[in-house]
Amino acid sequence: MSDEEREEKELDLTSPEVVTKYKSAAEIVNKALQLVLSECRPKAKIVDLCEKGDSFIREQTANMYKNVKKKIEKGIGFPTCISVNNTVCHFSPLASDEAVLEEGDILKIDMGCHIDGFIAVVAHTHVLQEGPVTGRAADVIAAANTAAEVALRLVRPGKKNKDVSEAIQKVAAAYDCKIVEGVLSHQMKQYVIDGNKVVLNVSGPDTRVDDAEFEENEVYAIDIVTSTGEGKPRLLDERKTTIYKRAVDKNYHLKMKASRFIFSEISQKFPIMPFSARALEEKRARLGLVECVNHDLLQPYPVLHEKPGDLVAHIKFTVLLMPNGSDRVTSHPLQELQPTKTVDDPEIKSWLALGTKTKKKGGGKKKKGKKGDKTEEAADVPMDEATNGAAS
């Protein structure tokens, strides 16, 4: 075996060290989410909350692997975003932004952490109120959470990506909600947050993905966004985009001095991971980022919106497909939900009844699971618990 092959082999979940790094990153991002959530209150500035999440991740990761010989990159895997009400995703404002939270807002908190390029991401939805969440807000969160629980059980060796797409759409429909178009669940690898193996949550006329089968020792970011509206989000204002990722395969000789300066800073500080323009000097960044994006040197993460009045929920988690079953390493318990819909569909109930751990030990790729396979974790998650964020 060549050094290259050995290196490749050692960098998946067959290596205990890799598993440890994923789980350490997950532990930090779960705590960061908890911290941000504890600070969410009416009139809190969104940018301050995002900065708190990012700072916590930077501080916690800085304390890890300090005494190793080879320097290990670590830090933010995805900048903290807090998208409110009909805003779908990626709202992580600049320091000058005055946006604040209000009582009754439905918040989507989205963030990521990495250690040595092994990334753990999480997104959670919370309504800024006391007491149980009711009405359509409860429906849209329950739809996202139940779809996430189903996806957790279907992202397993032997199943295909299209099995997951069809199932989560069926779950959303049961709550009279839509899965939002354009959202992908990605395989993740070292330093790769958006691998080529994906689940396209809803296929559209412009989007197609290759059929793929899940395999043991893979890692996925399962990303579920639901809406009480049409599920067709739009970009309203490009200036709200603040999160970018370096497109490592693109080159272009930038004309503007400000662009060259900013691009040089990005290449040094954020060569691979997504970053927030907040981390750059604001006036210079505004000028320089435009040319970088126009020539595809940076991939933007746009702030998308449903129509005013529509409610959007977001649940994202990281799952390790271990030999003994699926290990969901990022999550946060939901508030109490009292949705207006109950799910009686036998197929959805049968998906929720699948276990996430198998009794089978040892390696080897598991092929198609038989219907009668025994599982350790029974699917004794009652429907009402699944819709209330039962821990997996």
Side-chain angles (χ1 to χ4, degrees), residues 32 104 149 152 159 162 172 185 222 233 241 304 357 391:
E149 292 290 339
L152 173 64
K159 288 282 189 187
K162 63 183 179 192
S185 293
I222 303 301
T241 301
L304 300 175
K357 294 279 188 270

Side-chain angles (χ1 to χ4, degrees), residues 115-387:
I115 293 172
D116 196 18
F118 298 104
I119 309 159
V121 289
V122 69
H124 175 75
T125 301
H126 180 83
V127 180
L128 206 56
Q129 66 174 57
E130 294 296 321
V133 179
T134 59
R136 292 298 279 153
D139 288 344
V140 77
I141 299 171
N145 189 63
T146 309
E149 292 290 339
V150 166
L152 173 64
R153 289 156 173 80
L154 294 182
V155 176
R156 60 201 302 163
K159 288 282 189 187
K160 292 192 163 62
N161 52 357
K162 63 183 179 192
D163 298 334
V164 180
S165 309
E166 289 162 5
I168 62 174
Q169 288 176 60
K170 187 167 188 175
V171 169
Y175 289 96
D176 196 16
C177 293
K178 290 273 196 333
I179 295 287
V180 171
E181 288 181 9
V183 180
L184 299 169
S185 293
H186 285 276
Q187 184 185 4
M188 296 194 293
K189 297 181 179 180
Q190 189 181 29
Y191 289 109
V192 179
I193 199 167
D194 49 4
N196 292 333
K197 249 189 190 182
V198 299
V199 177
L200 177 61
N201 293 354
V202 183
S203 57
D206 305 327
T207 31
R208 292 275 181 279
V209 299
D210 294 335
D211 285 348
E213 188 173 301
F214 306 112
E215 295 175 56
E216 213 167 80
N217 296 316
E218 291 179 336
V219 178
Y220 285 88
I222 303 301
D223 202 349
I224 309 282
V225 185
T226 51
S227 171
T228 58
E230 293 177 359
K232 298 177 189 291
R234 291 167 303 161
L235 173 65
L236 299 181
D237 183 355
E238 280 183 15
R239 290 171 303 177
K240 293 286 185 193
T241 301
T242 61
I243 297 177
Y244 303 89
K245 181 163 76 79
R246 170 88 171 84
V248 288
D249 55 339
K250 301 285 192 224
N251 287 297
Y252 174 78
H253 184 68
L254 293 159
K255 305 289 187 281
M256 285 169 57
K257 188 177 176 184
S259 308
R260 292 197 296 274
F261 179 88
I262 281 296
F263 190 65
S264 168
E265 188 180 355
I266 290 164
S267 298
Q268 283 173 1
K269 288 186 180 173
F270 314 106
I272 298 172
M273 292 292 177
F275 65 92
S276 163
R278 256 197 327 277
L280 308 168
E281 197 273 309
E282 190 167 325
K283 278 186 184 164
R284 200 175 243 160
R286 276 188 191 281
L287 277 172
L289 288 168
V290 175
E291 191 183 5
C292 295
V293 171
N294 287 345
H295 294 283
D296 300 326
L297 295 178
L298 297 177
Q299 174 192 328
Y301 287 81
V303 179
L304 300 175
H305 296 80
E306 281 277 64
K307 290 177 181 164
D310 292 342
L311 301 177
V312 178
H314 188 189
I315 303 278
K316 178 161 62 178
F317 62 88
T318 303
V319 61
L320 316 182
L321 302 190
M322 303 295 288
N324 65 338
S326 302
D327 194 354
R328 175 180 180 165
V329 292
T330 59
S331 66
H332 191 282
L334 293 173
Q335 295 156 287
E336 186 189 338
L337 304 177
Q338 294 176 356
T340 68
K341 313 284 177 190
T342 54
V343 177
D344 300 315
D345 185 289
E347 191 172 24
I348 295 175
K349 286 184 171 179
S350 73
W351 290 326
L352 288 166
L354 293 167
T356 58
K357 294 279 188 270
T358 61
K359 280 190 171 170
K360 179 186 166 203
K361 298 282 183 235
K365 287 180 183 172
K366 193 167 92 175
K367 286 299 168 194
K368 305 266 190 248
K370 292 191 188 105
K371 279 190 179 167
D373 276 356
K374 289 263 170 44
T375 57
E376 272 177 9
E377 256 182 46
D380 46 12
V381 184
M383 273 305 304
D384 57 343
E385 276 190 48
T387 60

